Amino acid sequence: METKIIDGRVLSDQLRKSIKQKVCELRQNNIMPGLTVILVGDDPASQIYVRNKKRACEQVGINSNVIRLDNNITEYELLGKIHDLNEDPSVHGILVQLPLPSHISSERIINTIDPSKDVDGFHPVNAGKLLAGQPYLAPCTPRGIIKLIESTGEDISGKHAVVIGRSNIVGKPVSIMLLQKNATVTICHSKTIELDKIARQGDILVVAMGRPQSITDKYIKTGAIVIDVGTSRVNGKLLGDVVFQAAKGKAGWITPVPGGVGPMTITMLLENTILAAQSSSVL
Ligand code: GUN
């Protein structure tokens, strides 16, 4: 069958136009939306992600500030920086790029960010709101995934969605969002037995395992919507979890890597920053 491409770059460009418009409206009301990103250490992948986030902010008129900190910074010092940003009214969004060095607890850092500035949507308050059906600042990659699926024009309601991966960043929140859209959801993970058999039942298949090129056509139902969240850098090349050439001809729709989920994650970060800035004016 013909496999259609879900182009995350095209969808992102469309959405960024309306984000730019919202930024103009905020600026007219003397609110200058601002995002501060904290980058600890010199992980090459994190450097690229942070650079892309800063560039996207500039493109739509969001003030962005990157705080680069030495790998040896103590957890206490980093917590102090976050407390300062929590108190700074010009900062609407705070993002601490993960992973952090092993001597720092990501959990303690995330839990210290003011939930109303938590544009990653990782704070337990925001995770709880999503679970309770009152989403506010929800995680960016899952939000992007839902928009990519909806862009196909297919209805999520009633479909069987299979999610491979159970991380707090992607697998768990996207499962909740799909459930909220009335999908029947199965969550698979590294201990799942007969993964291929279960994956093959998915009208929607979201793959967020971080194991490059591990999902072939035998995991895909004919006509399924396949969302590939994998972004592994192998020999300088960005690889998804899905073998694109094997999925082609079997899936109904598929997101490419790069150019699928990645651009949408950043676009949702921009949307969350706008949301946080808008909320700051009514608090
Ligand atoms: N590292 C990889 N993905 C993400 C993300 O979505 N947010 C943050 N803060 N760090 C990341």
Side-chain angles (χ1 to χ4, degrees):
M1 77 176 299
E2 188 210 347
T3 303
K4 298 191 189 102
I5 306 295
I6 311 176
D7 192 327
R9 290 196 180 117
V10 169
L11 185 57
S12 277
D13 283 348
Q14 285 167 5
L15 292 167
R16 286 184 198 189
K17 282 195 186 105
S18 86
I19 292 170
K20 209 170 177 174
Q21 186 58 39
K22 283 185 193 144
V23 173
C24 284
E25 285 163 22
L26 281 165
R27 284 181 172 269
Q28 276 159 11
N29 289 308
N30 282 324
I31 300 166
M32 313 297 164
L35 172 70
T36 295
V37 177
I38 297 182
L39 176 59
V40 183
D42 48 15
D43 177 67
S46 292
Q47 306 254 15
I48 295 171
Y49 291 139
V50 168
R51 198 176 59 211
N52 290 342
K53 285 167 186 174
K54 185 167 172 52
R55 197 176 289 157
C57 284
E58 283 161 5
Q59 194 192 4
V60 299
I62 292 175
N63 289 340
S64 65
N65 180 28
V66 179
I67 301 178
R68 291 169 200 279
L69 300 170
D70 193 86
N71 206 56
N72 294 327
I73 189 168
T74 65
E75 185 177 290
Y76 183 77
E77 285 169 314
L78 183 53
L79 289 171
K81 296 267 178 213
I82 293 170
H83 282 299
D84 291 346
L85 295 171
N86 283 345
E87 296 304 319
D88 183 341
S90 72
V91 175
H92 300 105
I94 303 169
L95 183 149
V96 180
Q97 187 65 27
L98 303 175
L100 288 168
S102 55
H103 66 277
I104 297 176
S105 156
S106 304
E107 195 176 295
R108 260 195 297 273
I109 298 301
I110 289 167
N111 292 2
T112 303
I113 297 172
D114 180 335
S116 70
K117 298 190 177 191
D118 167 40
V119 284
D120 259 328
F122 294 164
H123 191 286
V125 165
N126 287 319
K129 284 188 176 180
L130 177 64
L131 194 64
Q134 308 157 26
Y136 173 48
L137 292 170
C140 301
T141 300
R143 287 194 55 210
I145 292 169
I146 298 294
K147 293 219 187 245
L148 286 163
I149 297 169
E150 288 179 334
S151 76
T152 66
E154 304 243 1
D155 202 357
I156 293 174
S157 180
K159 291 218 166 55
H160 186 180
V162 175
V163 177
I164 310 181
R166 55 174 158 177
S167 69
N168 288 340
I169 297 181
V170 183
K172 278 188 222 166
V174 81
S175 300
I176 299 300
M177 289 179 194
L178 287 161
L179 183 64
Q180 235 124 43
K181 300 257 173 202
N182 298 316
T184 301
V185 183
T186 302
I187 307 173
C188 303
H189 46 79
S190 55
K191 301 285 188 291
T192 298
I193 294 165
E194 296 195 295
L195 178 63
D196 56 334
K197 231 184 200 171
I198 299 172
R200 226 167 28 236
Q201 292 170 19
D203 305 306
I204 297 167
L205 181 64
V206 178
V207 189
M209 289 192 299
R211 272 199 234 144
Q213 303 294 287
S214 50
I215 298 296
T216 57
D217 51 332
K218 77 167 181 167
Y219 292 80
I220 298 171
K221 180 176 179 174
T222 301
I225 299 172
V226 178
I227 306 292
D228 187 354
V229 189
T231 49
S232 304
R233 211 164 273 277
V234 181
N235 299 327
K237 207 170 167 228
L238 207 59
L239 294 179
D241 287 350
V242 179
V243 182
F244 188 84
Q245 284 309 328
K248 242 179 132 185
K250 186 91 185 275
W253 297 85
I254 188 167
T255 55
V257 177
V261 173
M264 286 300 288
T265 295
I266 297 186
T267 302
M268 295 301 104
L269 172 66
L270 302 175
E271 275 200 7
N272 275 352
T273 305
I274 299 300
L275 192 61
Q278 284 169 335
S279 311
S280 72
S281 66
V282 294
L283 292 179

